[in-house]
Amino acid sequence: GIDVTGAITGTGDLTIDTNTLHVDSSNNRVGIGITTPVRNLHIKDTSPRIMLSNDTTGHTSGNGTEILLDSDGHFEILQRENLNLEFFTNNLQRMTILGNGNVGIGTTSPSYRLTVEAASGTDVTSEFKSDDANAWIQIKDNTTTDTGVMVGANGDNLLLRAGSNERMRIDSSGNVGIGTSSPSS
Protein backbone atom coordinates (compact mmCIF):
# COMPACT_ATOMS: atom_id res chain seq x y z
CA GLY A 1 0.00 0.00 0.00
CA ILE A 2 0.87 3.66 -0.13
CA ASP A 3 0.86 5.79 3.01
CA VAL A 4 0.47 9.44 2.09
CA THR A 5 0.56 11.85 5.01
CA GLY A 6 1.12 15.09 3.12
CA ALA A 7 -0.14 16.65 -0.05
CA ILE A 8 1.05 15.37 -3.41
CA THR A 9 2.16 18.30 -5.48
CA GLY A 10 3.30 18.70 -9.03
CA THR A 11 1.82 18.66 -12.50
CA GLY A 12 1.04 15.97 -15.00
CA ASP A 13 -0.82 12.70 -14.88
CA LEU A 14 -0.93 10.38 -11.88
CA THR A 15 -0.96 6.65 -12.53
CA ILE A 16 -1.04 4.02 -9.82
CA ASP A 17 -0.21 0.45 -10.86
CA THR A 18 -0.35 1.43 -14.60
CA ASN A 19 -3.84 -0.05 -15.19
CA THR A 20 -5.60 0.39 -11.85
CA LEU A 21 -6.04 4.14 -11.36
CA HIS A 22 -5.10 6.89 -13.80
CA VAL A 23 -5.74 10.61 -13.32
CA ASP A 24 -5.42 12.61 -16.55
CA SER A 25 -4.63 16.12 -15.34
CA SER A 26 -4.96 17.78 -18.76
CA ASN A 27 -8.55 16.61 -19.31
CA ASN A 28 -9.67 16.31 -15.66
CA ARG A 29 -10.48 12.64 -16.15
CA VAL A 30 -10.10 9.64 -13.87
CA GLY A 31 -9.75 6.12 -15.22
CA ILE A 32 -10.18 2.98 -13.17
CA GLY A 33 -8.92 -0.04 -15.08
CA ILE A 34 -8.04 2.18 -18.05
CA THR A 35 -5.18 4.62 -18.68
CA THR A 36 -6.99 6.61 -21.39
CA PRO A 37 -10.31 7.67 -19.80
CA VAL A 38 -12.73 9.31 -22.26
CA ARG A 39 -15.14 10.75 -19.64
CA ASN A 40 -14.66 12.50 -16.29
CA LEU A 41 -14.96 9.09 -14.60
CA HIS A 42 -14.36 6.03 -16.76
CA ILE A 43 -14.45 2.54 -15.25
CA LYS A 44 -13.32 -0.40 -17.40
CA ASP A 45 -13.75 -3.98 -16.18
CA THR A 46 -15.45 -7.22 -17.22
CA SER A 47 -18.49 -6.11 -15.21
CA PRO A 48 -17.87 -2.57 -13.89
CA ARG A 49 -19.91 -1.64 -10.82
CA ILE A 50 -20.51 1.35 -8.61
CA MET A 51 -21.83 0.51 -5.14
CA LEU A 52 -23.62 2.93 -2.84
CA SER A 53 -24.18 1.95 0.80
CA ASN A 54 -24.64 3.56 4.18
CA ASP A 55 -24.82 2.46 7.80
CA THR A 56 -28.54 1.61 7.40
CA THR A 57 -28.03 -0.72 4.42
CA GLY A 58 -24.74 -2.27 5.47
CA HIS A 59 -21.51 -2.47 3.52
CA THR A 60 -21.18 -6.02 2.15
CA SER A 61 -21.63 -7.08 -1.48
CA GLY A 62 -25.26 -8.05 -0.75
CA ASN A 63 -26.19 -4.62 0.64
CA GLY A 64 -26.94 -1.16 -0.69
CA THR A 65 -27.52 -0.24 -4.30
CA GLU A 66 -25.37 -0.88 -7.36
CA ILE A 67 -25.31 0.32 -10.91
CA LEU A 68 -23.42 -1.89 -13.31
CA LEU A 69 -22.76 -3.00 -16.83
CA ASP A 70 -22.83 -6.80 -16.84
CA SER A 71 -20.42 -8.91 -18.89
CA ASP A 72 -23.03 -9.16 -21.71
CA GLY A 73 -23.33 -5.35 -21.91
CA HIS A 74 -26.71 -5.05 -20.12
CA PHE A 75 -27.12 -1.98 -17.87
CA GLU A 76 -28.54 -2.84 -14.45
CA ILE A 77 -29.67 -1.01 -11.33
CA LEU A 78 -29.70 -3.30 -8.31
CA GLN A 79 -31.53 -2.29 -5.15
CA ARG A 80 -30.27 -5.04 -2.86
CA GLU A 81 -32.50 -4.00 0.06
CA ASN A 82 -36.26 -4.50 0.51
CA LEU A 83 -36.59 -0.77 -0.15
CA ASN A 84 -37.96 1.46 -2.91
CA LEU A 85 -36.31 2.51 -6.14
CA GLU A 86 -37.49 6.07 -6.78
CA PHE A 87 -37.30 8.28 -9.90
CA PHE A 88 -37.57 12.08 -9.81
CA THR A 89 -37.91 14.85 -12.40
CA ASN A 90 -38.28 18.57 -11.66
CA ASN A 91 -37.70 17.75 -7.98
CA LEU A 92 -40.90 15.62 -7.83
CA GLN A 93 -41.11 11.86 -7.39
CA ARG A 94 -42.65 10.55 -10.64
CA MET A 95 -42.20 6.77 -10.45
CA THR A 96 -41.63 4.29 -7.64
CA ILE A 97 -40.78 0.61 -7.64
CA LEU A 98 -41.55 -0.82 -4.21
CA GLY A 99 -39.44 -3.52 -2.60
CA ASN A 100 -42.21 -6.04 -3.45
CA GLY A 101 -42.01 -5.16 -7.18
CA ASN A 102 -45.17 -3.03 -7.48
CA VAL A 103 -44.66 -0.07 -9.85
CA GLY A 104 -46.34 3.28 -9.33
CA ILE A 105 -46.46 6.17 -11.78
CA GLY A 106 -47.87 9.26 -10.12
CA THR A 107 -48.06 7.48 -6.76
CA THR A 108 -45.48 6.54 -4.16
CA SER A 109 -47.50 3.62 -2.79
CA PRO A 110 -48.81 1.43 -5.65
CA SER A 111 -51.20 -1.32 -4.54
CA TYR A 112 -50.90 -3.37 -7.74
CA ARG A 113 -48.17 -4.57 -10.13
CA LEU A 114 -48.75 -1.34 -12.09
CA THR A 115 -50.64 1.66 -10.73
CA VAL A 116 -50.99 4.86 -12.75
CA GLU A 117 -52.50 7.69 -10.74
CA ALA A 118 -53.17 11.41 -11.20
CA ALA A 119 -54.63 14.09 -8.96
CA SER A 120 -58.43 14.39 -8.90
CA GLY A 121 -59.71 16.15 -12.02
CA THR A 122 -56.43 15.63 -13.83
CA ASP A 123 -56.23 13.67 -17.07
CA VAL A 124 -54.74 10.20 -16.47
CA THR A 125 -54.75 8.91 -20.03
CA SER A 126 -52.53 5.88 -20.60
CA GLU A 127 -51.75 4.53 -24.04
CA PHE A 128 -50.20 1.35 -25.36
CA LYS A 129 -49.68 1.50 -29.12
CA SER A 130 -47.42 0.32 -31.91
CA ASP A 131 -44.99 2.68 -33.61
CA ASP A 132 -47.19 2.95 -36.69
CA ALA A 133 -50.33 3.66 -34.57
CA ASN A 134 -52.19 0.74 -36.18
CA ALA A 135 -52.84 -1.02 -32.90
CA TRP A 136 -53.51 0.74 -29.63
CA ILE A 137 -55.33 0.65 -26.33
CA GLN A 138 -56.18 3.89 -24.55
CA ILE A 139 -57.59 4.07 -21.04
CA LYS A 140 -58.85 7.52 -20.22
CA ASP A 141 -60.43 9.25 -17.24
CA ASN A 142 -61.08 12.97 -17.21
CA THR A 143 -63.94 15.01 -15.78
CA THR A 144 -64.27 17.22 -18.88
CA THR A 145 -64.21 14.61 -21.69
CA ASP A 146 -65.43 11.10 -22.42
CA THR A 147 -64.46 8.47 -19.90
CA GLY A 148 -63.74 4.91 -20.83
CA VAL A 149 -61.57 2.44 -22.63
CA MET A 150 -60.82 2.83 -26.32
CA VAL A 151 -59.29 -0.06 -28.23
CA GLY A 152 -58.55 0.15 -31.90
CA ALA A 153 -56.44 -0.98 -34.76
CA ASN A 154 -57.57 1.24 -37.64
CA GLY A 155 -60.75 -0.61 -38.57
CA ASP A 156 -59.91 -4.04 -37.18
CA ASN A 157 -62.21 -6.06 -34.94
CA LEU A 158 -62.12 -5.88 -31.14
CA LEU A 159 -61.95 -9.34 -29.60
CA LEU A 160 -62.40 -10.27 -25.96
CA ARG A 161 -60.96 -13.67 -25.12
CA ALA A 162 -60.93 -15.98 -22.14
CA GLY A 163 -57.78 -18.03 -22.58
CA SER A 164 -57.60 -18.88 -26.28
CA ASN A 165 -61.41 -18.80 -26.71
CA GLU A 166 -63.10 -15.78 -28.26
CA ARG A 167 -66.04 -14.75 -26.07
CA MET A 168 -67.11 -11.42 -27.61
CA ARG A 169 -66.42 -9.46 -30.80
CA ILE A 170 -67.15 -5.93 -31.93
CA ASP A 171 -66.46 -5.80 -35.65
CA SER A 172 -65.23 -2.80 -37.60
CA SER A 173 -68.80 -1.78 -38.51
CA GLY A 174 -69.97 -1.77 -34.87
CA ASN A 175 -71.82 -5.10 -34.84
CA VAL A 176 -71.53 -6.93 -31.51
CA GLY A 177 -71.42 -10.69 -31.19
CA ILE A 178 -71.29 -12.85 -28.10
CA GLY A 179 -70.44 -16.46 -28.89
CA THR A 180 -70.04 -15.72 -32.59
CA SER A 181 -67.16 -14.43 -34.66
CA SER A 182 -69.52 -13.08 -37.36
CA PRO A 183 -71.98 -10.69 -35.68
CA SER A 184 -74.76 -9.43 -37.96
CA SER A 185 -76.16 -6.63 -35.80
Side-chain angles (χ1 to χ4, degrees):
I2 298 174
D3 182 14
V4 178
T5 56
I8 297 174
T9 60
T11 59
D13 296 352
L14 169 66
T15 301
I16 299 174
D17 189 16
T18 65
N19 291 316
T20 305
L21 176 67
H22 180 83
V23 179
D24 180 341
S25 64
S26 63
N27 293 311
N28 295 320
R29 295 178 179 159
V30 175
I32 299 174
I34 187 166
T35 58
T36 55
V38 296
R39 297 288 182 257
N40 294 85
L41 176 60
H42 185 161
I43 302 171
K44 178 188 168 287
D45 192 42
T46 305
S47 182
R49 298 169 179 257
I50 296 175
M51 180 176 176
L52 305 169
S53 67
N54 60 26
D55 290 339
T56 301
T57 65
H59 307 290
T60 68
S61 63
N63 297 125
T65 301
E66 291 184 57
I67 58 172
L68 67 106
L69 186 66
D70 75 12
S71 59
D72 292 327
H74 302 284
F75 179 74
E76 299 177 8
I77 300 172
L78 287 84
Q79 169 55 290
R80 298 213 179 264
E81 310 298 325
N82 187 18
L83 298 169
N84 298 350
L85 187 57
E86 301 168 351
F87 299 86
F88 288 73
T89 63
N90 198 22
N91 208 29
L92 295 171
Q93 190 168 342
R94 305 296 185 168
M95 186 171 87
T96 302
I97 302 174
L98 298 181
N100 68 5
N102 288 359
V103 177
I105 299 172
T107 179
T108 60
S109 54
S111 301
Y112 303 98
R113 279 288 154 215
L114 177 62
T115 302
V116 179
E117 190 174 299
S120 180
T122 304
D123 191 5
V124 65
T125 299
S126 299
E127 277 190 323
F128 306 91
K129 66 181 185 177
S130 66
D131 288 342
D132 60 6
N134 285 328
W136 49 270
I137 298 173
Q138 186 180 68
I139 301 168
K140 190 171 187 173
D141 184 11
N142 187 311
T143 58
T144 60
T145 61
D146 294 337
T147 299
V149 176
M150 299 184 297
V151 179
N154 287 345
D156 291 341
N157 300 321
L158 167 64
L159 307 177
L160 298 178
R161 296 181 181 270
S164 61
N165 300 314
E166 181 180 329
R167 301 298 185 197
M168 182 175 158
R169 174 183 294 243
I170 302 174
D171 71 15
S172 59
S173 63
N175 294 334
V176 178
I178 298 175
T180 178
S181 61
S182 300
S184 59
S185 60

